[in-house]
Amino acid sequence: MTEPLDLILAKQLVDHCNEMLLAVDAATLSVVAANATVCRLLGYSREDMIGTHIEVIEAGLAGMFYWQDVAAGNIQPLENAESEFQRSDGSLVTVEKAVSMCVEGTQRFVLI
């Protein structure tokens, strides 16, 4: 079964975006989707990124407190928040991020 054209195009648009885009399951704090840019800039394959706990990637102290709040059910949108992401080689990169929530049925996702 092939995917609908609109889904194929949406995936292509996300992967060709120059911004790092991640989707995190709010219940497990695991990455469920990552675009090509985040994989390239952080040095992870998409297969390695999917299923990784977000606190492995987001290494800044403020980010750790934020994800503890998300785990407790408190998802707050953010704009222009600075954080540090850890690359696969262990080095850190400072990022400016925006965070929002997406609900699909009974599942909640945090979009970075």
Side-chain angles (χ1 to χ4, degrees):
M1 181 175 186
T2 61
E3 293 180 327
L5 181 58
D6 59 343
L7 182 58
I8 293 169
L9 292 174
K11 286 180 178 181
Q12 290 295 314
L13 284 170
V14 167
D15 263 348
H16 285 87
C17 175
N18 288 327
E19 301 291 325
M20 294 194 307
L21 300 173
L22 287 169
V24 177
D25 184 307
T28 66
L29 301 184
S30 295
V31 173
V32 294
N35 74 343
T37 301
V38 74
C39 294
R40 180 176 43 82
L41 293 176
L42 296 182
Y44 293 95
S45 69
R46 193 177 317 249
E47 293 77 24
D48 288 340
M49 182 72 69
I50 303 302
T52 299
H53 198 277
I54 189 61
E55 289 179 332
V56 170
I57 297 162
E58 187 161 16
L61 186 58
M64 290 171 45
F65 287 125
Y66 180 81
W67 292 110
Q68 287 174 357
D69 285 346
V70 170
N74 183 21
I75 302 172
Q76 295 296 319
L78 298 174
E79 292 289 331
N80 304 319
E82 190 173 287
S83 189
E84 291 184 312
F85 283 9
Q86 184 167 313
R87 293 182 173 120
S88 63
D89 66 5
S91 65
L92 299 175
V93 60
T94 301
V95 298
E96 186 174 298
K97 66 179 182 176
V99 179
S100 61
M101 186 179 72
C102 172
V103 177
E104 181 63 36
T106 60
Q107 289 187 291
R108 297 181 316 154
F109 301 96
V110 179
L111 306 177
I112 305 170

